[in-house]
Amino acid sequence: MLTKQIEFDIANILTPNKFIPLYLERHYQNKADLYPHSIELHLTSACNYRCKHCSYRMRNKAATQIKESKCRQIIEEIVALKPAGVYFSGGGEPTTLKNWDKYAETLLDKGIDVALITNGSLIRDKHANLVARFNYMAVSVQAANRSTYEQITGGRCFEKLFTLPERIKSISASRCLVGSRSVLTTDNYLQTLQIYNRCIDAGYDYVIFIPVVDYEGRGIGLEKEHIDTLMQMIAGAQLDAKVTNLQQLFRQAFRYYDNDEPTVDFTPTSCNAVSQKTNAFVNYDGGIYLCQPYIGTTRMCIGNLYQHTFKEIWNSERANRVA
């Protein structure tokens, strides 16, 4: 069976300009009437993989997650808030959470878009019809061959990565974009083009690459010699600019940021998403944040769902002070 290929241009997805109309619209509205446009759920820190590049490894060991009764309550509260979309993501693998699929189905049935960021290992045949209703699913593809994949992730589901797109998109009513995301490290950078080609051949709608940020100094970051090799590799490659960001990374010389890296001490007021409270991030300890980089930073937590409801937190004095 042929896999359905969805026509789109990745440049329209990765550009920050897509948020400008949303920011303008919210700017002229009463802030007290605004609830999150999208909500990202980090409901568990548990993960069944041990990726060498993961910056959440200490959190993974704790395997902290929202209690099941609280998860149900959070989903009910989110339905009442009516955001445009909800992302299942987080400091752990979201599909390790009991009943994650039921929570996603509840949101979909209420007309809320759902997306999933996953390593793909726990997506079963029974999930296919559900995932086909998602807005998108982003799957971590960290290598082009089994041995490198297992070395990087510790996982044992390599071949499954290349059957998932066909399984989801073979469903006649599927509307799900199935994309791949690869973190480029010293372990896999030489396989960049092979990863791209394998993912395209497997039917992935897009193939995104992310240069690793070696927060913990593990020696996996790309140095000049690695980047020089990548530049030579990509310079002569036949790539579809509509489905991958490799050309953009080439223009940035494979730096994580396209300009000089910003300082970690930027202020909330410099971020429209924070100042206009566009997004909410629910952490596995119940804390709510307005921006992903702030998760775990106590002063940026606007409240905790174990103490107050989402609505109480969202328009609280503390939330408005942080924004």
Side-chain angles (χ1 to χ4, degrees), residues 60-236:
N60 297 159
K61 289 180 181 179
T64 305
Q65 61 183 35
I66 299 282
K67 294 178 180 178
E68 187 175 353
S69 59
K70 180 57 67 173
C71 281
R72 291 195 299 269
Q73 180 183 332
I74 290 171
I75 297 301
E76 290 173 2
E77 292 188 30
I78 289 174
V79 167
L81 296 178
K82 299 179 180 178
V86 171
Y87 305 74
F88 285 83
S89 178
E93 167 55 41
T95 61
T96 63
L97 184 73
K98 183 180 179 181
N99 292 328
W100 71 269
D101 49 346
K102 291 183 174 58
Y103 303 142
E105 186 174 27
T106 297
L107 294 167
L108 288 166
D109 288 345
K110 296 298 183 179
I112 298 171
D113 270 339
V114 172
L116 173 66
I117 300 173
T118 177
N119 61 33
S121 63
L122 299 177
I123 303 297
R124 313 295 189 200
D125 285 347
K126 67 178 183 178
H127 299 129
N129 287 312
L130 173 67
V131 175
R133 298 173 62 192
F134 287 4
N135 184 282
Y136 74 85
M137 177 174 68
V139 182
S140 297
V141 180
Q142 304 303 347
N145 60 56
R146 180 188 299 274
S147 60
T148 305
Y149 176 79
E150 293 181 356
Q151 172 197 347
I152 292 173
T153 69
R156 296 291 184 270
C157 295
F158 176 72
E159 295 300 334
K160 186 175 186 178
L161 300 178
F162 302 103
T163 61
L164 271 176
E166 175 69 32
R167 181 69 186 91
I168 301 305
K169 294 194 289 180
S170 65
I171 295 170
S172 60
S174 178
R175 60 184 292 268
C176 182
L177 278 169
V178 184
S180 74
R181 306 200 314 171
S182 305
V183 178
L184 291 177
T185 71
T186 53
D187 290 314
N188 66 359
Y189 78 102
L190 290 175
Q191 297 182 18
T192 299
L193 291 181
Q194 291 97 316
I195 293 172
Y196 168 80
N197 288 323
R198 284 211 64 169
C199 287
I200 293 300
D201 290 345
Y204 280 97
D205 293 302
Y206 61 86
V207 187
I208 289 177
F209 293 88
I210 306 165
V212 70
V213 179
D214 192 5
Y215 292 107
E216 299 176 4
R218 302 172 195 161
I220 58 174
L222 300 178
E223 303 292 344
K224 184 180 184 303
E225 62 268 27
H226 307 125
I227 292 173
D228 287 345
T229 300
L230 270 171
M231 295 290 283
Q232 293 173 19
M233 195 186 306
I234 302 305

Side-chain angles (χ1 to χ4, degrees), residues 184 209-211 245-255:
L184 291 177
F209 293 88
I210 306 165
N245 66 331
L246 277 173
Q247 295 94 330
Q248 178 184 338
L249 288 176
F250 179 85
R251 292 190 294 270
Q252 297 170 200
F254 284 86
R255 291 176 299 176

Side-chain angles (χ1 to χ4, degrees), residues 19-29 276:
F19 297 108
I20 290 177
L22 173 63
Y23 293 149
L24 289 174
E25 178 184 346
R26 293 174 72 91
H27 179 76
Y28 293 105
Q29 294 179 355
Q276 297 191 29

